[in-house]
Amino acid sequence: MLRALLFILPLALMIYAFIDCLNTPEEEVKHLPKPVWAIVVLLFSIVGAIGWIVAGKERGPKGRSGTGRAGRSGGWVAPDDNPEFLKSLKDDGTAPKADDDLLKDWEADLRRREEELKRRERGEENEA
């Protein structure tokens, strides 16, 4: 069991560091370009992975404003917290009217097609 652990732990560390390196935005990578870090992690498995974790990426508290994905301005905002989205939901009177007109047109077209089908069926029954 210990032998397997000595193989699995470094492999898991290398896989974690490689995936973390690939998923890190270019602006958060320190000291070397991102592709070079990926090669270092793959070639020098344990040393490269530890090097990436220690020195390759800007790390800090996730809630810190101005850094990190959650603190960036212009990032993703939930729809109920997004004032632009909420404004778009307000009824300005034009969109529902257009939707109602479109729905009425579709219903009229459907009725016309149903009547055509009924006439065709009646015509075929009379001929037979």
Side-chain angles (χ1 to χ4, degrees):
M1 180 68 181
L2 187 59
R3 286 183 188 177
L5 201 60
L6 289 175
F7 174 74
I8 292 174
L9 247 47
L11 181 66
L13 179 67
M14 188 178 83
I15 291 172
Y16 167 77
F18 183 67
I19 292 173
D20 188 43
C21 178
L22 293 179
N23 288 333
T24 300
E26 191 72 40
E27 16 340 304
E28 292 180 16
V29 176
K30 299 188 315 182
H31 305 296
L32 294 172
K34 188 173 166 179
V36 174
W37 271 116
I39 292 170
V40 166
V41 168
L42 289 177
L43 289 180
F44 306 104
S45 61
I46 296 174
V47 175
I50 291 173
W52 166 255
I53 291 170
V54 172
K57 176 180 177 179
E58 291 180 12
R59 299 194 189 267
K62 298 226 186 232
R64 202 167 66 187
S65 63
T67 62
R69 292 182 181 177
R72 284 191 191 148
S73 61
W76 185 83
V77 179
D80 57 342
D81 293 334
N82 187 343
E84 293 173 15
F85 177 76
L86 295 174
K87 286 179 190 174
S88 73
L89 292 179
K90 288 185 180 176
D91 184 16
D92 59 4
T94 58
K97 187 173 192 292
D99 291 343
D100 288 342
D101 292 341
L102 185 61
L103 181 61
K104 287 178 185 176
D105 290 343
W106 285 347
E107 287 175 344
D109 187 45
L110 180 62
R111 277 190 223 105
R112 180 186 56 79
R113 290 180 182 198
E114 287 176 343
E115 289 298 322
E116 270 184 36
L117 285 173
K118 287 179 185 176
R119 273 189 249 125
R120 285 184 189 167
E121 287 176 359
R122 283 188 222 136
E124 290 175 5
E125 288 175 3
N126 291 341
E127 290 176 10

